[in-house]
Amino acid sequence: MEFTVAIDGPAAAGKGTIARALADRFGFAYLDTGLLYRAVAAKGGDPVQAAEDLSAQDLARDDLRTLAAGQAASRVAALPAVRSALTDFQRRFARTAGGAVLDGRDIGTVICPMAEVKLYVTSSPEVRAQRRWREVGGDLAQVLAEVRERDARDMGRADAPLRPAEDAVLIDTTDMTIDQAVSVASAAVRARFPERTTP
Ligand code: C5P
């Protein structure tokens, strides 16, 4: 059985938390597609070559979660040739037997426009910066500036800009707990997939 859940939204909105919870509850495979772009940027050299040669080992580096790696990722992610080198892998993953959940910026709009469930997870830049700052520390004002800068780059690029798919369920997590956000997301999956049992 193939079943794809596409989750898009800006940095630190809660996509990964929701995606992992859905993967757990419904037994889906999970792909954090941001990690692909982070690994391409971290590899250095020609980014298109890096995307074409990306290996599991590249994704296992322990320096991919930093703010700097996120900024570098959003720069290489604006290159159409990098995006197209990563497309087939993501599409194949999306059709994993047993179902898959992918989170990123263009999953519902470009990678899997036929996904059975599309979610667009967002929250205010201030709340997202707070969340990121709690994880990485440093200067909150600087973290907020970086969140805004990355939003502008991801939403403003010509190729696959971040935006909600027309048929996406919007989840604004600004005033939600994690449990509330996960339960809205789970309800959207169950609505399309009532026969899947959840623990
Ligand atoms: O989600 P994450 O913060 O790890 O993504 C890092 C960067 O990778 C994003 O800011 C975005 O520029 C890029 N990205 C993308 N398309 C995706 C996933 C991530 O362009 N599907």
Side-chain angles (χ1 to χ4, degrees):
M1 189 250 6
E2 293 170 347
F3 187 93
T4 307
V5 182
I7 307 183
D8 292 305
K15 300 184 301 290
T17 305
I18 292 173
R20 273 188 295 273
L22 293 181
D24 238 39
R25 276 192 188 190
F26 294 95
F28 297 144
Y30 168 48
L31 180 64
D32 166 4
T33 66
L35 209 55
L36 306 176
Y37 294 91
R38 286 171 182 261
V40 166
K43 216 169 157 153
D46 172 19
V48 179
Q49 194 65 48
E52 282 167 359
D53 296 344
L54 207 62
S55 68
Q57 211 180 336
D58 296 323
L59 300 177
R61 295 172 62 130
D62 60 8
D63 58 352
L64 299 181
R65 297 278 170 206
T66 63
L67 288 181
Q71 289 288 2
S74 97
R75 285 189 203 100
V76 299
L79 302 171
V82 166
R83 305 198 69 82
S84 69
L86 299 174
T87 298
D88 281 353
F89 171 73
Q90 295 175 81
R91 287 194 176 140
R92 261 187 295 165
F93 189 95
R95 300 325 269 168
T96 303
V101 50
L102 291 81
D103 76 48
R105 302 293 186 288
D106 63 339
I107 309 302
T109 49
V110 175
I111 301 295
C112 304
M114 307 306 280
E116 282 75 8
V117 175
K118 296 178 194 170
L119 307 175
Y120 189 83
V121 181
T122 187
S123 66
S124 72
E126 290 77 13
V127 165
R128 289 187 284 120
Q130 281 270 358
R131 289 178 187 153
R132 210 18 77 82
W133 174 71
R134 266 185 245 120
E135 288 166 15
V136 299
D139 175 25
L140 178 57
Q142 171 74 20
V143 176
L144 177 59
E146 294 206 9
V147 161
R148 289 190 193 282
E149 188 189 327
R150 198 131 72 88
D151 283 359
R153 199 181 297 119
D154 290 348
M155 292 173 186
R157 68 186 174 213
D159 190 26
L162 170 63
R163 59 178 177 78
E166 268 173 31
D167 51 350
V169 175
L170 301 183
I171 305 179
D172 185 333
T173 64
T174 307
D175 297 314
M176 279 186 186
T177 62
I178 289 173
D179 284 353
Q180 286 169 330
V182 169
S183 97
V184 174
S186 296
V189 173
R190 268 196 306 274
R192 284 301 306 270
F193 198 14
E195 68 273 24
R196 188 79 160 205
T197 51
T198 53

